[in-house]
Amino acid sequence: MTSIIQKVPIAAIATPIGEGGIAVIRVSGKDAISIVDQAFEGKPLVEQPTHTVHFGKIVDKKGLPVDEVLISIFRSPKSYTGEETVEISCHGGVLVTQKVLETILALGVKSAEAGEFTQRAFLNGKLDLDQAEAVADIIHAKSIKAVDAAHQQLEGRLGDHVKKFRQQIIDATAMIELELDFIEEDVEFANKEQLRQLLQDVDSEISALLETYETGRIVKDGVKTVLIGRPNAGKSTLLNTLVGSDRAIVTDIAGTTRDTIDADWNYDGLLFKLIDTAGLRETLDVVEAEGVKRSQKAFEQADLVVYLKDLSHPFTDDERKEIADFQKRAGETPFILVGTKKDQEIDEEWRTEFDLKISAIDGEKIKELKQLLKDRALENKHYDASSLLVTSTRHRDALQKTQSHIQAALNGLDLGMTGDFLSIDLRAALNELGTVTGEITNEHILDSIFSRFCIGK
């Protein structure tokens, strides 16, 4: 069992600052219970069992009441951090919450840094590093699917895969190094075909996991959806319709939108980051020209492109060329051609196949458009609620480096390299995998990871 490291106690407000029914101040570390007991008027906390709640008052050093509170006690090692932990539930006003915290800090407790509670949980062996990262992902999640993906990681599913890979590579390394121990006797213990098959299996399984990254990135960060088209094509109107509020200004004046406008929209558990762009046209207006330039940049970074064509105006040759050009430049990025203002559609032979014709004003085909956006965003991604996804760039990079070392070892086998050279690559692969779960880490990585957390978590 991992030994618990009792550290200098820390404290922080663990709930959002503001007015509310209650606020929670978390205290964790060596002698946390006895320290809080000094400011508690009620049952002696040091005499109470773990996982119990007690009513009383927090009082300052002069014995004056600060607030009525409920105190929850968690004794080591059965707490979130693995240390002695106390959670103080007080009234949720800004001033009273701060006063309770200041009273605890005055007893010699240190103010917690961002993510320090979860960092202690990791250092005390309560969480693997990938699980600790999942805590931050749950807090910052902006869609149900992002929460689901983070929960899977928090449950240890990614860590289980990584530990399996590590064990397979350890087995392979052991086969090689046993042979090295008897190299002077010219005895071969390693079954080369068995070793090759083992490494090929690991290589294939890592490939399958890496293939989930693009889906994982979209589920976690949202689908960057760019609305492009000519001025007055209905881009701002559509954005407002999807979001359900007047996020973008809508007028009949061409060039109203002069910069990209972003808005988050959730549909069926998936986050879409909608980007309304300036109308595409040649202009002498310096500000509008900069907006068009930014529209082009947004297009290049998009996960999903929606080109809007105003059906109340006939097609021009320039528009047809422009659409064809955008479709070609989109490459593998899903591209949707939508006809807008269907309620004002002119009688014309369009000679162009629209994915959908809508009227944002009347709401016609908007429901169908929403489903189409989701379908196209996830096409070829084979996502379902039970899918294990790689959502972190750090994890992806570590897995890619691991795979590179595995493939180098396989190449070495084919070239007849000796076991000492193969062992170098396999140990490097083990090192990379260890950075995912935290078996191998350094202060720089930890600082980078836990800086994403809010104070109090």
Side-chain angles (χ1 to χ4, degrees), residues 170-227:
I170 288 170
D171 292 343
T173 306
M175 292 171 66
I176 292 170
E177 296 191 349
L178 180 62
E179 180 178 303
L180 292 175
D181 289 339
F182 293 87
I183 193 167
E184 292 182 0
E185 283 80 2
D186 196 28
V187 176
E188 287 193 14
F189 287 89
N191 181 320
K192 295 298 191 293
E193 286 309 311
Q194 181 183 349
L195 180 60
R196 179 179 283 103
Q197 187 60 55
L198 191 155
L199 294 179
Q200 287 175 341
D201 289 345
V202 175
D203 182 40
S204 297
E205 290 178 41
I206 291 178
S207 289
L209 205 50
L210 284 171
E211 286 176 359
T212 71
Y213 173 71
E214 275 305 308
T215 304
R217 179 187 63 80
I218 282 176
V219 166
K220 177 183 174 182
D221 299 331
V223 184
K224 193 176 293 184
T225 306
V226 176
L227 309 178

Side-chain angles (χ1 to χ4, degrees), residues 82-136:
E83 306 167 334
E84 280 194 2
T85 301
V86 177
E87 291 187 352
I88 306 169
S89 298
C90 64
H91 290 95
V94 175
L95 295 178
V96 68
T97 304
Q98 191 62 39
K99 182 62 176 176
V100 172
L101 176 62
E102 289 173 356
T103 301
I104 300 302
L105 294 177
L107 299 174
V109 178
K110 182 174 79 77
S111 184
E113 298 178 2
E116 192 168 358
F117 292 97
T118 305
Q119 186 171 14
R120 290 187 176 201
F122 162 67
L123 293 173
N124 285 324
K126 303 292 288 186
L127 296 169
D128 286 341
L129 191 56
D130 59 303
Q131 291 176 298
E133 291 172 275
V135 173

